[in-house]
Amino acid sequence: MFMKLFQLVEGLNIAIGKCVSFLIWAGIAVLCFEVVARYGFGQPTTWAHGYTQRIFGSYFVLVGAYTLIKREHVRVDILLLPGRVRWNAFLDLINFAFLLLWGAVLTYEGWNFFHDSWAFNELDDSVLGHPMWPPKLALFAGSFLITVQAVIEAVKAALRLIAPHIVTESTTNNVA
């Protein structure tokens, strides 16, 4: 039952990660537009800088769970040993414990940031006064998704620690 739930959550995180990955193109388009407007026509925009910050910030936090599934986060594997499944699972468990702590705090604070921004109709300090709640909602959503994925990864690591002959990387990380 839990494995079906894990697969459902992973499938959702993969779909969100793939969809959000297209934000990179929006950010590139805004940056290119700004460069051409500024240097080609001498007419810089007042909005491009803020929008690129929001786009790339949202992109970065919303693809976190997908990146975790793909095992693409920066990782120091000096202590990892080939063929030592239990040892590596133990190290993963410690790593995911810290990630869970970080994710829980960031999710809690992200919700508070979003809620306050929404409740007080917070606007940025630019001339255009854009609402601040969308990037703060992205912070909350992204940190929540990576925290839930960290729970799944911690359970997988615990299973590899307990029964390494039954649970392997290939059976726990079958992602598209």
Side-chain angles (χ1 to χ4, degrees):
M1 178 177 139
F2 284 116
M3 292 313 253
K4 289 284 187 196
L5 179 62
F6 290 174
Q7 289 173 345
L8 179 68
V9 171
E10 283 187 349
L12 176 67
N13 280 332
I14 289 168
I16 289 170
K18 286 181 177 183
C19 288
V20 168
S21 69
F22 289 104
L23 276 179
I24 201 81
W25 294 108
I28 290 169
V30 171
L31 280 175
C32 289
F33 180 84
E34 173 62 14
V35 167
V36 170
R38 178 179 299 264
Y39 297 108
F41 299 105
Q43 299 290 320
T45 66
T46 58
W47 54 268
H49 179 72
Y51 272 102
T52 54
Q53 286 179 329
R54 286 171 179 78
I55 290 168
F56 288 124
S58 297
Y59 163 80
F60 178 78
V61 74
L62 288 170
V63 298
Y66 177 77
T67 307
L68 184 60
I69 291 169
K70 292 293 198 173
R71 297 192 164 280
E72 295 293 328
H73 283 281
V74 174
R75 167 183 180 132
V76 178
D77 24 335
I78 293 172
L79 299 176
L80 294 177
L81 302 171
R84 301 286 307 267
V85 177
R86 278 197 166 122
W87 172 252
N88 295 343
F90 172 72
L91 293 176
D92 279 346
L93 205 50
I94 291 171
N95 187 29
F96 292 128
F98 283 111
L99 178 58
L100 282 168
L101 176 64
W102 172 84
V105 170
L106 191 60
T107 300
Y108 176 79
E109 289 301 325
W111 173 256
N112 289 335
F113 289 156
F114 163 70
H115 182 265
D116 289 348
S117 184
W118 178 270
F120 297 113
N121 194 26
E122 179 185 12
L123 304 175
D124 69 8
D125 57 357
S126 74
V127 173
L128 300 175
H130 293 114
M132 289 300 294
W133 67 265
K136 292 182 179 185
L137 178 59
L139 172 66
F140 166 71
S143 59
F144 176 76
L145 291 171
I146 199 168
T147 303
V148 171
Q149 190 61 45
V151 169
I152 293 171
E153 298 299 327
V155 169
K156 289 178 183 180
L159 291 174
R160 283 193 309 275
L161 185 63
I162 295 166
H165 58 284
I166 297 172
V167 182
T168 64
E169 277 305 306
S170 61
T171 60
T172 60
N173 275 338
N174 44 353
V175 293

